[in-house]
Amino acid sequence: GQNIDQPTEMTATEGAIVQINCTYQTSGFNGLFWYQQHAGEAPTFLSYNVLDGLEEKGRFSSFLSRSKGYSYLLLKELQMKDSASYLCAVRDSNYQLIWGAGTKLIIKP
Amino acid sequence: ETGVTQSPTHLIKTRGQQVTLRCSSQSGHNTVSWYQQALGQGPQFIFQYYREEENGRGNFPPRFSGLQFPNYSSELNVNALELDDSALYLCASSTAGTSGGYNEQFFGPGTRLTVL
């Protein structure tokens, strides 16, 4: 079966750095996405990785290791507005997105 | 704002009824995907339409069906509603069906369906 694992919840302090991990086992791999979802809202795109390595985009970075089936999302200089769920999704061999359950990130002052 | 709209925003139905949810994709996008998201869970893929044809389906029963129209808008129909169908239904539009590449999906605001 296909499986994507993320921690259920994480807590961090405003101004700090947090790393959200994602491990996956899927039927094929055609890219990994990270989305942010605020409560009651639709997911919004954060990053895309298809090759190994780090992709940096402002305060957010995403890393991929295909051999390990592993990715992380790194958020720097945390702000209160970063409190949200972060969803990891893998595009499988059928080009369909398989989603993790999401990591709820709580930012404290 | 992603340019993807969905209607209605909220809907309450009773068990056994039928429901139709609608989605207008972003201009220039020819692919629409539908997802079911239960509370506290990630989205679950229902199916995808590319140029009016279904080109992928998740693990959902046949009572979940859909359509895509020539203007690439889409409908999700659910028959014989069950209590477990209560969820947020999301549609997402993108620019390609089965090709690779970036093809970021842009999500609509969702329809919150409650089945009593």
Side-chain angles (χ1 to χ4, degrees), chain A residues 30 33 35 37 40-48 57 87 91 94-102, chain B residues 35 37 40-45 48 55-56 88 90 97-105 107-109:
Chain A
N30 285 294
F33 296 78
Y35 278 79
Q37 187 175 28
E41 298 181 10
T44 55
F45 171 80
L46 290 177
S47 70
Y48 171 74
K57 207 174 181 183
L87 297 159
R91 190 161 56 194
N94 294 317
Y95 290 91
Q96 308 304 340
L97 284 180
I98 309 301
W99 296 78
Chain B
Y35 296 91
Q37 187 175 24
Q41 299 296 316
Q44 297 292 313
F45 174 70
Q48 182 182 82
N55 79 331
L88 179 68
L90 296 162
T98 57
S99 64
Y102 200 113
N103 297 332
E104 170 193 346
Q105 293 194 352
F107 283 84

Side-chain angles (χ1 to χ4, degrees), chain A residues 47-75:
Chain A
S47 70
Y48 171 74
N49 295 71
V50 67
L51 299 176
D52 290 351
L54 189 68
E55 293 284 339
E56 296 188 80
K57 207 174 181 183
R59 294 190 299 116
F60 294 3
S61 303
S62 56
F63 172 83
L64 174 68
S65 168
R66 289 172 296 171
S67 63
K68 294 182 179 178
Y70 168 70
S71 172
Y72 68 72
L73 179 69
L74 192 71
L75 292 78

